[in-house]
Amino acid sequence: MDTMEFALRAETGPLAFGTDATAIIENRTFDEMAIGESAQIQRTFTQSDIELFANVSGDVNPSHLDPVYAEGTLFHGIVAHGMLGASLFSAVLGNVLPGPGTIYLGQDLRFRRPVKPGDCLTAKVTVRTKDPVKKRVILDCLCTNQAGEDVITGSAEVVAPAEKIRRVRMDLPEVSVVRHTALASLLQRASSLRPLPTAIVHPCDHDSLDGALKAAAAGFIEPVLVGPEDRIRALALAEGMNLNGYRIVDAPHSHAAAEIAVGLARDGTVKALMKGSLHTDELMHQVMRKENQLRTQRRISHAYVMLIASSGKVLIVSDGAVNIAPTLMDKVDIVQNAIDLAIALGVAVPKVALLSAVETVTAQIPSTLDAAALCKMADRGQIKGGLLDGPLAFDNAISAVAALTKGIASAVAGSPDILIVPNLEAGNMLAKQMIYSGAADAAGIVLGAAVPIILTSRADSIQTRLASCAVAVLAANGAAND
């Protein structure tokens, strides 16, 4: 099943039920309504409608969302929520009969047949009785599908409006469904590999411990919990988490937990490290110590693996967390680390866009000089496995149209797999803008050490934590196959 979320855009879009921007909405008052009078609306439901209703209602029953599960049910496929079809009665009562000013008191409905994506439903209400004292009206409700079969039957009770209302129909904001196919694909690929033995460093808050246990349950990691054992067990008990079967290595505090975890990586007991509830500097200080033997000839760098909802692709952004102001030679390793990661994630020849403020080389902007040098170094084999271009401004790196407008002929511009930023500030701001404004999920990983290091933030969702673990699994397997 695709991972999904729903974005509300600011601009207005088409109105409900095929109306236009000048349509008028008008009610029928209690006195105007007649016994036997009826009104109806028609709508074809799509999978996106079902997903939107699941998001609004919180009803994520797999019968509505998971095609593999749904195929094995009585209905042999995805079916809509019953209340999604029933909502059409609310629409016709609120919009048409009686219309604006109606107070919906109750309903008695029976669901006769399932509704599947593509079904066209007609919801009809008919006035059965009127109570002139209380101004209450009971209406028969009938919803049929495109074959004329009854789908929902029943009745509704309303208080009909006493005053005439006639107004321009309000525009609705346009709602779009954004499916995170890149995330789903990433998780699926990682789940096919053996779990990665991983030291969870100081998992002493809910998010870090819960994220590790959920990643274990998903089959991505075999966690070794390193930290104060009493504190970890007390947290698990308080939060209802089951630690049965998981190894705990006792450490009195976060500094000791980092030192012990790095030692486990050094001696091969674990194949990855995952940050818990300690500061990143505490963990990285131990990783960087030469005597701990986790450093390699490569410079250590961080990569955000951005899972872009709009395009369904993976985009690596580096370095936005470790190297503050990297030199040219630092960037050689940053680029190579990112290329190797992209290959491990399944990209045959990663396209690398070297970002700057402009796309022309100028001595006044040092990052443009670095970009030009990195391209030439790739030409001479000093950087391997990827296709580099730069300097590129962000617009022409991401948009082929923007690149064409500026006369840039490039195999990278418009379709990069990797964005290399000039410094940490630019990378951090770019990544977080993509997360919070661009509906992207982001997995964080540190590269260039002897083992992958999973860096997560307290603000990260469980989805992001799972994605980070999945990236580490793929990265470790890619390194093992080199």
Side-chain angles (χ1 to χ4, degrees), residues 387-441:
L387 180 63
L388 278 64
D389 196 7
L392 291 171
F394 182 78
D395 57 347
N396 46 62
I398 292 295
S399 168
V401 173
L404 183 63
T405 299
K406 294 189 175 182
I408 300 172
S410 169
V412 173
S415 60
D417 302 295
I418 299 168
L419 299 178
I420 300 296
V421 297
N423 54 47
L424 182 144
E425 292 170 307
N428 193 272
M429 287 186 281
L430 172 60
K432 289 179 178 176
Q433 185 274 335
M434 295 172 72
I435 295 167
Y436 290 100
S437 298
D441 283 308

Side-chain angles (χ1 to χ4, degrees), residues 318-342:
S318 190
D319 179 345
V322 172
N323 293 283
I324 297 173
T327 66
L328 173 62
M329 297 313 297
D330 294 338
K331 289 180 182 178
V332 171
D333 285 344
I334 291 171
V335 172
Q336 192 66 66
N337 287 341
I339 289 172
D340 292 348
L341 176 60

Side-chain angles (χ1 to χ4, degrees), residues 116-187:
K116 295 194 171 186
D119 282 354
C120 180
L121 301 188
T122 300
K124 180 179 180 180
V125 299
T126 303
V127 179
R128 184 204 301 174
T129 64
K130 296 174 62 179
D131 181 344
V133 176
K134 296 182 179 179
K135 304 297 183 183
R136 293 187 178 183
V137 179
I138 294 178
L139 303 99
D140 291 320
C141 298
L142 175 63
C143 183
T144 57
N145 61 21
Q146 64 275 9
E149 301 167 322
D150 291 354
V151 174
I152 308 172
T153 61
S155 62
E157 183 179 5
V158 303
V159 175
E163 296 182 1
K164 191 69 176 175
I165 298 173
R166 190 173 189 274
R167 301 180 66 85
V168 174
R169 187 184 296 260
M170 297 295 293
D171 285 358
L172 293 177
E174 183 178 341
V175 179
S176 61
V177 177
V178 181
R179 294 183 177 87
H180 285 269
T181 54
L183 175 60
S185 176
L186 178 74
L187 298 181

Side-chain angles (χ1 to χ4, degrees), residues 31-52:
D31 291 337
E32 290 175 331
M33 296 171 67
I35 302 297
E37 183 177 359
S38 65
Q40 67 183 40
I41 59 173
Q42 189 175 79
R43 184 179 180 93
T44 299
F45 284 110
T46 67
Q47 181 62 33
S48 292
D49 293 325
I50 296 170
E51 292 165 0
L52 284 164

Side-chain angles (χ1 to χ4, degrees), residues 189 341-348:
R189 288 191 63 220
L341 176 60
I343 292 172
L345 297 182
V347 182

